[in-house]
Amino acid sequence: MATSNITRRAASGLALAAFITRAVTAQTGSQAEERPVGRVTLSQTQVSLFGSVSWGHGTLTFDGRSYRFRIRGLGIGGIGISELHATGEVYRLSRLADFPGLYGGARTGAVAGSSAVQGGLWLENPAGVMISLHPERSGYALQVGADGLLIQMD
């Protein structure tokens, strides 16, 4: 029974890693040709000690309206605590129901005080919705790893 639970956890971890890898490699494709269909602002707190947990909130502006959402996340890698505040663009969203879900992304860098993340951050969910974030982090952390973020509408 214990071996079965360990095997399931390992398989879940591998599935998350594969999803995140696909999301990260998809970021460079046709986004330069696409136009954003919405905007997001968000704030998130992340605590890391080789694994990470994060929580926060944000606002999606889409189709002339604003929608609040919550963020919950788990990840691998990193050490420290940091705050992230970001604005960004949303691509490939045609209906609001496609926005919530599990998004994958990767992170690297170090934070000591306050700094902008160079190059931004791309996230993608299984519905194909992509978010391009322009974040600024504050706190004290070494960020290396991958995250799965769950976005839920308020």
Side-chain angles (χ1 to χ4, degrees), residues 50-80:
F50 305 112
S52 67
V53 70
S54 60
W55 60 92
H57 57 88
T59 302
L60 164 69
T61 304
F62 172 68
D63 207 19
R65 296 188 58 197
S66 293
Y67 304 92
R68 293 192 41 79
F69 60 88
R70 293 180 311 276
I71 303 166
R72 304 287 183 262
L74 292 174
I76 54 174
I79 186 167

Side-chain angles (χ1 to χ4, degrees), residues 72-132:
R72 304 287 183 262
L74 292 174
I76 54 174
I79 186 167
I81 183 167
S82 63
E83 294 281 330
L84 177 130
H85 301 282
T87 60
E89 298 81 32
V90 179
Y91 297 84
R92 301 181 184 167
L93 178 64
S94 57
R95 58 190 188 109
L96 183 61
D98 290 337
F99 184 72
L102 180 64
Y103 285 77
R107 58 186 155 81
T108 61
V111 179
S114 177
S115 65
V117 177
Q118 296 298 317
L121 176 67
W122 284 89
L123 303 170
E124 182 180 16
N125 74 7
V129 176
M130 296 189 76
I131 303 172
S132 170

